Amino acid sequence: MEDYLSELENCELCEWRCGANRLEGELGVCRMGEPQIASAMLHPAPPRSYTIFLSGCNFKCLNCQNWRIAHYPDSGASPRGFLDPAEMAKEAYQRIKSPKGQALGADRIFFSGGSPAPSLPYLEKLVEEARKLGDGNVKVNYDTNGFLTEESLRRVLDFTTSVTFDIKAYHDDVHRALTGAPVEPVLRNAKCIAENAPERLWEFRVLLIPKITEGEVKPIAEFLSAIDSEIPLNFLAFRPNFVFEDYQGVTREALDRAVEVAREAGLKNVNWSGRADLPGEIPEATASEYDESGAKRAGGIAKRAGCVTHPRDCGSCQAIHQCPIKGYKPGRRT
């Protein structure tokens, strides 16, 4: 075992703080052993980069667009596997500096997933190796769902150039219904970055899901604008995915309205991106264990997919290692 992975013997990298000995086969909420590279490629999505996708995730989002990666090993995906961080660093550096990388405008390594959080010690080693190459000035973007411990967040900020930060919801029950996790650590970490490292923040992102997260727009915008009106916020257009494979896509009108509401709340740097107006259905809100209407609707979908703990709480769920959400297979390609 490499020394830099030793903390995986008692893993507390994210706010689940499972304490699992991942190197000896114990599994926490993310169900990951040693870090696994899912795939890597030059990628135009802002910021342009060589994006390294890490397998696994500490959330169980109903709408996951990268579900094969995020829900490994239950998804049945075949990742590239555990790769020597020095070799992975060399690959990333060479691809960024290649003619194709330069034509794209790629200027950094981008860690995404799933969630990179379960792979944090590996990423630190990879970045250390990358910065031994060339002029040593390798930029790094870290893509996060925000569910990190305060110590892990500090470590992320120590090696990153930029951070893209997803806020799934503001209300705890909506966040739980969508992800299986509480929202407090996410909001805490969002505030920490916005207040203490605004120069690292590429943008906050909110996925706009009809009748589920539309009610989250105003409180999220008010939360951010109270910190700094210049904070960048991007609304992402929901498209049918994973457990939400038949759910209706968000309309252009709703996206435009979200931008308007966020600006009315005081934010100046707001936009939206993605493909709008995709067809689908919006089921009734049926889960009585939740308060917010969006949570009732998402919770009802989770129930129909087999989720047994409501309000959702993956950290205390007895079915954590036979999770029907992680094992869900969409009926059509998403």
Side-chain angles (χ1 to χ4, degrees), residues 233-245:
L233 176 62
N234 181 26
F235 291 105
L236 302 175
F238 165 78
R239 68 174 189 267
N241 264 305
F242 195 45
V243 180
F244 278 20
E245 59 184 312

Side-chain angles (χ1 to χ4, degrees), residues 14 16 22 28-32 54-61 64 66-74 112-119 143-147 166 168 179 181 314 320 326:
C14 82
W16 291 123
R22 292 168 50 191
V29 174
C30 71
R31 289 183 44 76
M32 288 297 298
L54 285 307
S55 296
C57 189
N58 49 9
F59 280 1
K60 295 178 174 62
C61 296
C64 185
N66 288 338
W67 61 271
R68 293 175 183 84
I69 294 172
H71 298 310
Y72 173 86
D74 303 82
S112 188
S115 168
S119 304
D143 190 14
T144 184
N145 60 20
F147 203 68
D166 291 315
K168 310 291 186 180
T179 71
C314 296
I320 187 64
K326 282 190 76 69

Side-chain angles (χ1 to χ4, degrees), residues 63-100:
N63 54 282
C64 185
Q65 66 177 10
N66 288 338
W67 61 271
R68 293 175 183 84
I69 294 172
H71 298 310
Y72 173 86
D74 303 82
S75 65
S78 299
R80 288 179 61 179
F82 180 84
L83 304 176
D84 179 83
E87 290 301 312
M88 198 67 222
K90 182 179 179 181
E91 175 184 314
Y93 183 81
Q94 290 178 341
R95 293 299 301 277
I96 289 169
K97 297 298 183 181
S98 71
K100 186 175 181 180

Side-chain angles (χ1 to χ4, degrees), residues 16-327:
W16 291 123
R17 301 179 185 267
C18 298
N21 187 339
R22 292 168 50 191
L23 300 181
E24 294 295 332
E26 293 181 11
L27 300 177
V29 174
C30 71
R31 289 183 44 76
M32 288 297 298
E34 63 183 8
Q36 301 280 312
I37 301 293
S39 61
M41 66 193 73
L42 288 168
H43 202 291
R48 297 171 182 175
S49 64
Y50 190 67
T51 299
I52 299 174
F53 293 91
L54 285 307
S55 296
C57 189
N58 49 9
F59 280 1
K60 295 178 174 62
C61 296
L62 303 176
N63 54 282
C64 185
Q65 66 177 10
N66 288 338
W67 61 271
R68 293 175 183 84
I69 294 172
H71 298 310
Y72 173 86
D74 303 82
S75 65
S78 299
R80 288 179 61 179
F82 180 84
L83 304 176
D84 179 83
E87 290 301 312
M88 198 67 222
K90 182 179 179 181
E91 175 184 314
Y93 183 81
Q94 290 178 341
R95 293 299 301 277
I96 289 169
K97 297 298 183 181
S98 71
K100 186 175 181 180
Q102 293 300 290
L104 177 67
D107 70 349
R108 68 197 67 201
I109 301 171
F110 190 134
F111 296 122
S112 188
S115 168
S119 304
L120 179 55
Y122 176 86
L123 306 186
E124 290 172 320
K125 185 65 174 177
L126 194 159
V127 172
E128 176 187 326
E129 296 296 332
R131 287 178 173 157
K132 295 177 183 177
L133 304 172
D135 58 8
N137 188 28
V138 174
K139 294 181 179 179
V140 175
N141 189 88
Y142 186 92
D143 190 14
T144 184
N145 60 20
F147 203 68
L148 297 159
T149 65
E150 291 172 286
E151 169 62 16
S152 290
L153 178 62
R154 182 196 63 75
R155 289 165 60 178
V156 166
L157 293 176
D158 280 346
F159 70 78
T160 51
T161 310
S162 56
V163 176
T164 45
F165 193 120
D166 291 315
I167 302 177
K168 310 291 186 180
Y170 182 83
H171 292 102
D172 186 70
D173 65 343
V174 179
H175 196 273
R176 286 179 181 273
L178 284 172
T179 71
V183 77
E184 188 280 329
V186 177
L187 298 180
R188 178 200 69 209
N189 289 336
K191 183 177 182 181
C192 178
I193 292 179
E195 289 184 338
N196 301 310
E199 74 283 356
R200 304 290 179 87
L201 180 63
W202 185 272
E203 66 184 7
F204 287 112
R205 301 180 302 197
V206 175
L207 183 67
L208 200 62
I209 308 174
K211 303 295 186 181
I212 293 180
T213 60
E214 287 175 302
E216 305 302 292
V217 171
K218 184 177 179 180
I220 290 174
E222 290 176 341
F223 167 72
L224 296 177
S225 66
I227 301 169
D228 185 349
S229 64
E230 300 291 341
I231 286 173
L233 176 62
N234 181 26
F235 291 105
L236 302 175
F238 165 78
R239 68 174 189 267
N241 264 305
F242 195 45
V243 180
F244 278 20
E245 59 184 312
D246 297 317
Y247 203 92
Q248 179 181 302
V250 70
T251 65
R252 179 179 293 269
E253 180 183 6
L255 289 159
D256 287 339
R257 176 58 184 159
V259 171
E260 181 182 348
V261 168
R263 289 176 176 162
E264 289 173 352
L267 291 177
K268 299 176 182 178
N269 188 8
V270 189
N271 56 28
W272 68 265
S273 60
R275 185 180 174 190
D277 299 315
L278 294 172
E281 302 175 352
I282 298 179
E284 294 296 319
T286 59
S288 61
E289 297 89 344
Y290 302 87
D291 295 324
E292 300 291 327
S293 61
K296 291 178 185 291
R297 185 168 279 107
I301 296 171
K303 282 186 176 185
R304 288 191 287 277
C307 185
V308 297
T309 301
H310 296 274
R312 292 183 72 201
D313 185 354
C314 296
S316 65
C317 182
Q318 297 302 305
I320 187 64
H321 298 308
Q322 296 83 38
C323 176
I325 301 301
K326 282 190 76 69

